[in-house]
């Protein structure tokens, strides 16, 4: 990480003009800081992934199986037959270039192979060679090239420089979705055991212990207990949650990152406060689960099958506990999976009820089949019905802007719910420029399993467009807090802000709720959940 | 010199010479005026259908529309019905906007790096304007050409011709569509050559259809305004094709056969190329599906059971620790 260039140097070195030489003649240069370490074989073996072995991306020999080309070819064919998206997207791109400068990785690195169109061409060129008439007849002239070791390495390097954020697909006149291409590309690479460790190990952990971080059940409880103590210190109220409780009304699932590391932990404290409030006021019966203690799903970054194997826990646990429906915490790709895959993969969830808020009576019609509601939808509805007693002034030290996380934005369409919650819990809210939010939002640069430490330069490059927009509101309005509804954002943004926009902190939306919500019987708070003095309390603090 | 466009350029020149010499020197009117056009049409129709069938034969296992606006959620939150439609009607509207007005392309933004290290994403409508002009001009030109394949000429084609020649300048009256088609194709071509990023991603297969269409437009314009082709004879030929009584009338120059050959090549090339985006745009699952994924279950025809780590296995593994921590368990022992 010490190799990371200074931010102004990195910025000055940016050049978006591609070199003269044809891209097919430009071999991949796997550069330190821009890639993640290869998967630990032990983690691969947990789920029986093929060709688990030790290999090093920087070495010439990747220890591939002898018939690797055949495996790729057959895997390619199988996916063309299974996914209309893949087949259509391989054929219809006209290379108009509308997507070129939409990718945060291209904007941040200037590497032309990070233009979405070219990322897809890496696969298309092989597709043409293997599966199309013109490609077979004309070869290179038709944009075809055979699958070689260099091509494979290029695939690996660039499939793991895409965070599947789908921003390019918004601008594509045919809706070509590079996330879909990357998903297929990574599935193919996984057929050869070419995963990265930052994905493979969380997947293995999640499978065995229920969450990515490998937090065992008793430790999970310990960690929440710790937050309960902290909250009691601040508010004087005991917010102890329920675990694995049969017959609870609602099962709550959130990414384990919220339990594990700052500033996600404060969001987690927000959940505890909210549930305590609702329990005391309205008798809401929520349970956490240690078995389904992961909302995120790094299986999604491995293969559809792995996604399904990890996701199965949510419904299975809801069924075992006999809850009515599931409430989901703040997470990005978790919500892409829930919103667009879960019901198809592991449904129908006919053992659950159509979600209704027991407090307001609101039917969540939009979730009536999946039976899983987002915490921001749930909270926005409570606020709208005046069910929460809030003191937004407790967030007055904060000038907040909101980052739309890619997946809830472009894979779910959730824009106004979290904004409504923020605007009711904070008095100072400022939007970033219109072309960088909502469906045009920029990725944090670390999504889809790329938030490791060894690829810090890649992450700082990929997060540049987002950071640049935050810088704009910091300079213009004095924004000092970046809110988001994604655990990877909360893990990735602090580094990104320190690098590009020092002075801006990161928060989950529910942390803001936790600060503003007035618990029944609470003592006068003098700090927020982070232990920082509340507005007007600073002097007391100094004494 | 860029190999990719030189290759495509030479290919189009070669096609020109082939047709011109074939007719003028070798007298192959029957080949270029009857056999190739029929073949081309057959290849186009069959190829187009096959390609669509091929796409349609792959299932859509997941419903993954790109949500480009506010979802339908709580009743008091305004849904973006066009960009995040949850009904089939909404999807139809979204698709109409996409297919007819190229809505996604209209969103296009261009990155500019401003002084002080600030990124700015400005509206960039030239590609959208160019694409719209190109497609609509081509469509109009194609419709106008129905005049050659119908007798009597239907009224709507006459109206279209009048609109197309609205400005009434030149003799014969200049049709705007032909000029716009040529201009737009030239613009798209120059953009491909001169914009460094677009140039970098372009393949020979991107230049070839552009050169071919420029060739079609040029030969058409030449015939209409400069070379003065015998329109009556041409219509005799085209009507012969349309009524399946093909004839080769006297007095049609090589230029016409080049024009017809270019069109034939375009038709034959179509199903095997990126030009199939014409059909594909309707089949793109990120646009043509309703954004109601949580409200309606989508079924994956090949969904198969997978091995999962069950709660029982989990509890077996952690039982003692769970009991010690006071967590509820299914089996106490």
């Amino acid at each position: 990480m010490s190799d990371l260039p200074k931010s102004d140097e990195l910025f000055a070195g940016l050049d978006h003009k591609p070199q003269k030489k044809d891209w097919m003649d430009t071999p991949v240069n796997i550069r330190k800081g821009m890639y993640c370490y290869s998967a630990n074989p032990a983690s691969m073996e947990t789920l029986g992934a093929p060709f688990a072995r030790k290999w090093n991306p920087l070495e010439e020999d990747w220890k591939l199986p002898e018939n690797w080309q055949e495996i790729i070819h057959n895997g390619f064919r199988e996916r063309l037959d299974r996914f209309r998206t893949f087949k259509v997207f391989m054929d219809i791109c006209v290379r108009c270039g509308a997507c070129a400068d939409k990718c945060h990785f291209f904007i941040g690195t200037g590497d032309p192979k990070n233009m979405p169109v070219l990322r897809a061409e890496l696969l298309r060129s092989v597709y043409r060679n293997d599966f199309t008439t013109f490609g077979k007849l004309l070869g290179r002239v038709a944009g075809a090239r055979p699958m070689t070791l260099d091509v494979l390495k290029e695939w690996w390097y660039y499939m793991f420089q895409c965070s599947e954020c789908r921003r390019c697909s918004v601008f594509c006149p045919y809706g070509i979705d590079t996330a879909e291409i990357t998903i297929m590309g990574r599935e193919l690479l996984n057929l050869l055991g070419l995963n990265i460790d930052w994905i493979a190990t969380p997947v293995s952990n999640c499978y065995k212990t229920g969450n990515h971080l490998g937090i065992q059940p008793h430790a999970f409880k310990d960690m929440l207990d710790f937050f309960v103590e902290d909250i009691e210190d601040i508010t004087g109220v005991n917010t102890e949650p329920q675990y694995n409780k049969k017959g609870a009304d609602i099962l709550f699932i959130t990414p384990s990152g919220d339990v594990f590391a700052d500033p996600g932990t404060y969001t987690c404290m927000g959940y505890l406060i909210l549930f305590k409030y609702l329990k005391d006021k309205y008798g809401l019966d929520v349970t956490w689960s240690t078995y389904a203690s992961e909302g995120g799903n790094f299986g999604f970054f491995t293969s559809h099958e792995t996604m399904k194997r990890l996701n199965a826990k949510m419904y299975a646990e809801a069924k075992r506990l006999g809850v009515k429906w599931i409430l989901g915490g703040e997470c990005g790709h978790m919500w892409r999976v829930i919103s667009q895959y879960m019901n198809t993969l592991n449904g129908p969830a006919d053992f659950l009820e159509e979600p209704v808020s027991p407090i307001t009576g609101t039917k969540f019609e939009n979730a009536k089949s999946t039976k899983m509601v987002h915490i921001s939808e749930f909270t926005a509805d409570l606020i709208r019905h005046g069910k929460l007693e809030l003191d937004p002034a407790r967030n007055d030290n904060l000038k907040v802007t909101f980052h739309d996380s890619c997946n809830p934005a472009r894979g779910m369409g959730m824009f106004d719910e979290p904004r409504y919650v923020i605007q009711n819990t904070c008095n100072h809210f400022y939007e970033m420029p219109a072309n960088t939010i909502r469906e045009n939002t920029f990725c944090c640069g670390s999504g889809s399993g790329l938030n490791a430490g060894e690829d810090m330069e890649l992450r700082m490059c990929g997060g540049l467009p987002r950071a640049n927009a935050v810088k704009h509101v910091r300079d213009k309005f004095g924004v000092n807090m970046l809110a988001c509804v994604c655990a990877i954002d909360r893990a990735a943004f602090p580094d990104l802000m320190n690098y590009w926009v020092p002075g801006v902190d990161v928060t989950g939306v529910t942390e803001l709720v936790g600060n503003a919500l007035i618990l029944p019987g609470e003592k006068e708070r003098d700090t927020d959940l982070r232990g920082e003095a509340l507005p007007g309390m600073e002097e007391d603090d100094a004494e | 010199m860029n190999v990719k466009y030189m290759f495509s350029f030479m290919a189009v020149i070669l096609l020109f010479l082939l047709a011109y010499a074939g007719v003028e020197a070798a007298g192959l009117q029957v080949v270029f005026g009857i056999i190739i056009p029929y073949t081309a049409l057959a290849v186009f129709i069959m190829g187009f259908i096959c390609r669509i069938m091929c796409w349609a034969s792959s299932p859509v296992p997941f419903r993954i529309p790109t949500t480009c606006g506010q979802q339908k959620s709580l009743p008091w939150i305004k849904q973006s019905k066009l960009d995040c439609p949850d009904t089939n009607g909404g999807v139809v509207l979204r698709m109409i906007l996409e297919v007819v007005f190229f809505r996604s392309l209209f969103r296009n933004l261009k990155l500019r790096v401003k002084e002080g290290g600030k990124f700015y994403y400005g509206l960039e409508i030239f590609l959208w304007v160019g694409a719209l002009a190109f497609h609509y001009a081509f469509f109009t030109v194609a419709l106008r050409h129905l005049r050659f394949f119908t007798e009597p000429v239907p009224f709507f084609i006459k109206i279209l011709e009048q609109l197309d020649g609205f400005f009434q300048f030149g003799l014969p009256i200049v049709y705007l569509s032909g000029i716009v088609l040529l201009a737009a194709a030239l613009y798209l071509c120059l953009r491909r050559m001169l914009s460094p990023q677009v140039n970098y991603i372009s393949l020979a297969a991107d230049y070839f259809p552009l050169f071919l269409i420029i060739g079609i437009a040029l030969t058409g314009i030449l015939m209409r305004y400069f070379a003065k082709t015998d329109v009556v004879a041409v219509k005799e030929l085209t009507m012969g094709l349309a009524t399946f009584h093909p004839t080769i009338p006297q007095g049609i120059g090589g230029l016409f056969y080049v024009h017809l050959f270019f069109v034939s090549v375009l038709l034959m090339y179509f199903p095997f190329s990126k030009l199939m985006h014409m059909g594909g745009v309707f089949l793109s699952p990120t646009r043509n599906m309703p954004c109601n994924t949580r409200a309606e279950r989508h079924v994956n025809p090949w969904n198969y059971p997978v091995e999962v780590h069950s709660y029982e296995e989990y509890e077996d593994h952690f039982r003692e620790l769970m009991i010690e921590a006071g967590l509820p368990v299914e089996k106490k022992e």
Side-chain angles (χ1 to χ4, degrees), chain A residues 11 16-19 21-23 80-85 87-89 91-98 100-102 106-107 112 115 117-118 121 128 134 141 166 169-175 177 180 207-209 216-218 221 243-244 246 290-291 304-305 308-309 312 320 335-336 339-341 343-345 347-348 364-370 372 377 380 384 409-417 420 435-436 439 442 464-465 468 472, chain B residues 4 7 51 54-78 83-84 98 104-105 107-111 113 116-119 121-123 127 135 191-192 196-198 200-206 269 272-277 280-281 283-288 292-300 302-312 314-315 317-318 321-322 325-328 330:
Chain A
F11 196 93
H16 294 104
K17 212 170 162 184
Q19 58 270 40
K21 204 170 168 189
D22 191 83
W23 66 266
L80 290 170
D81 290 342
R82 280 188 171 176
F83 294 89
R84 187 181 301 165
T85 44
K87 216 184 221 178
V88 171
F89 294 166
D91 281 331
I92 63 171
C93 175
V94 299
R95 287 163 295 278
C96 70
D101 56 357
K102 306 303 176 284
F106 175 64
I107 297 175
M115 291 192 267
V117 47
L118 218 50
E121 287 292 313
R128 290 190 198 104
F134 270 112
V141 170
R166 308 182 102 196
S169 87
V170 170
F171 298 91
C172 176
Y174 316 113
D177 180 6
E180 198 69 1
Y207 194 71
K208 282 189 300 197
T209 58
Q216 301 191 349
H218 57 294
K221 183 170 178 291
Y243 303 93
N244 303 353
K246 286 201 172 178
T290 57
Y291 169 64
H304 287 88
E305 186 177 301
K308 180 174 173 170
R309 291 175 71 179
R320 185 182 76 87
W335 274 97
R336 172 96 196 276
S339 170
Q340 301 197 323
Y341 293 95
N343 202 7
T344 300
L345 289 172
F364 295 98
E365 298 273 357
N366 61 327
K368 67 177 182 219
S369 180
T370 296
M372 188 148 176
E377 295 170 335
R384 177 78 177 185
R410 289 179 286 256
M412 187 178 174
M414 190 180 75
F415 299 108
D416 289 332
E417 298 88 339
Y420 184 80
N435 290 335
T436 69
E439 72 275 12
F442 279 109
L464 171 60
N468 202 268
H472 174 79
Chain B
K4 286 167 182 171
F7 179 88
R51 181 50 70 89
C54 168
W55 285 335
S57 71
S58 290
V60 182
F62 302 103
R63 200 185 303 161
I64 52 159
T66 312
T67 52
C68 300
Q70 172 62 40
Q71 65 166 343
K72 178 176 187 273
S73 76
L74 299 163
W76 46 273
I77 290 178
K78 193 168 176 283
D83 291 317
C84 193
E98 206 62 78
S104 291
L105 204 54
R107 285 185 232 266
N108 199 9
L109 302 168
K110 193 171 174 58
L111 165 73
V113 184
K118 248 191 78 176
F119 287 158
Y121 312 91
L123 211 58
L127 178 58
H135 285 85
R191 177 180 171 274
R192 231 176 235 299
Q197 285 166 10
V198 186
Y200 193 72
I201 59 175
S202 293
L203 301 173
D206 297 315
Y269 179 70
F272 306 98
S273 70
K274 69 166 192 174
L275 302 178
M276 277 307 290
H277 67 266
V281 65
L283 284 175
S284 186
T286 55
R287 292 286 187 275
N288 71 6
N292 60 354
T293 35
R294 278 194 291 156
E296 308 263 351
R297 178 162 189 258
H298 179 82
V299 176
N300 171 4
W302 51 260
N303 197 15
Y304 53 90
V306 294
E307 200 186 322
V308 298
H309 190 68
S310 69
Y311 176 79
E312 288 69 31
Y314 169 85
E315 193 185 295
H317 192 171
F318 292 115
L321 291 165
M322 290 173 78
L327 293 167
E330 297 272 345

Side-chain angles (χ1 to χ4, degrees), chain A residues 199-425:
Chain A
I199 294 173
T201 295
V203 164
S204 164
N205 286 340
C206 189
Y207 194 71
K208 282 189 300 197
T209 58
N211 55 69
H212 288 156
L213 298 159
I215 308 167
Q216 301 191 349
H218 57 294
F220 188 82
K221 183 170 178 291
D222 277 352
M223 289 164 128
L224 287 190
D225 280 347
F226 192 67
F227 302 150
V228 170
E229 279 171 35
D230 277 0
I231 296 169
E232 194 160 2
D233 285 347
I234 297 165
T235 67
V237 178
N238 178 1
T239 55
E240 182 161 13
Q242 314 182 98
Y243 303 93
N244 303 353
K245 187 198 168 191
K246 286 201 172 178
D249 287 339
I250 293 170
L251 167 64
F252 178 67
I253 302 176
T254 198
S256 63
D258 285 350
V259 181
F260 185 73
D262 295 349
T265 48
Y266 306 118
T267 305
C268 193
M269 288 158 85
Y271 302 140
L272 292 170
I273 291 174
L274 178 66
F275 297 150
K276 171 68 178 170
Y277 178 94
L278 297 174
K279 187 180 173 190
D280 285 3
K281 281 251 186 185
Y282 310 106
L284 187 78
D285 192 5
V286 173
T287 182
W288 297 60
S289 163
T290 57
Y291 169 64
S293 50
E294 179 59 69
N297 190 331
F298 274 32
F300 182 45
F301 310 137
T302 306
S303 67
H304 287 88
E305 186 177 301
T306 313
M307 162 169 60
K308 180 174 173 170
R309 291 175 71 179
L310 298 187
N311 174 260
K313 274 179 201 175
M314 292 196 184
Y315 280 153
E317 184 68 341
K319 192 173 185 179
R320 185 182 76 87
L321 297 176
V323 298
K324 290 183 178 140
W325 50 273
I326 313 172
L327 183 63
E330 300 178 11
C331 179
H333 72 277
M334 158 183 171
W335 274 97
R336 172 96 196 276
V337 173
I338 291 165
S339 170
Q340 301 197 323
Y341 293 95
M342 176 161 82
N343 202 7
T344 300
L345 289 172
N346 291 310
D350 39 20
F351 46 88
L352 297 173
E353 293 175 15
E354 290 184 12
V356 176
S357 169
I359 298 154
T360 64
T362 300
K363 276 189 187 171
F364 295 98
E365 298 273 357
N366 61 327
K368 67 177 182 219
S369 180
T370 296
K371 286 147 181 143
M372 188 148 176
V373 175
H374 193 286
I375 187 84
S376 286
E377 295 170 335
F378 183 68
T379 313
D381 174 63
L382 290 169
I383 296 174
R384 177 78 177 185
H385 285 86
K387 299 291 182 188
L388 299 184
E389 201 186 336
L390 297 162
D391 178 9
R394 292 209 287 229
N395 284 319
D396 271 357
N397 282 344
L398 309 179
K399 294 193 170 175
V400 181
T401 190
F402 180 65
H403 160 73
D404 289 279
S405 309
C406 334
N407 286 298
R410 289 179 286 256
M412 187 178 174
M414 190 180 75
F415 299 108
D416 289 332
E417 298 88 339
R419 282 182 171 76
Y420 184 80
V421 175
I422 293 173
Q423 283 167 319
N424 280 281
T425 51

Side-chain angles (χ1 to χ4, degrees), chain B residues 208-223:
Chain B
F208 178 68
L210 277 173
F211 288 138
L212 198 59
I213 290 164
I214 290 171
I216 290 169
L218 272 179
T219 48
I221 287 168
L222 270 179
M223 277 190 289

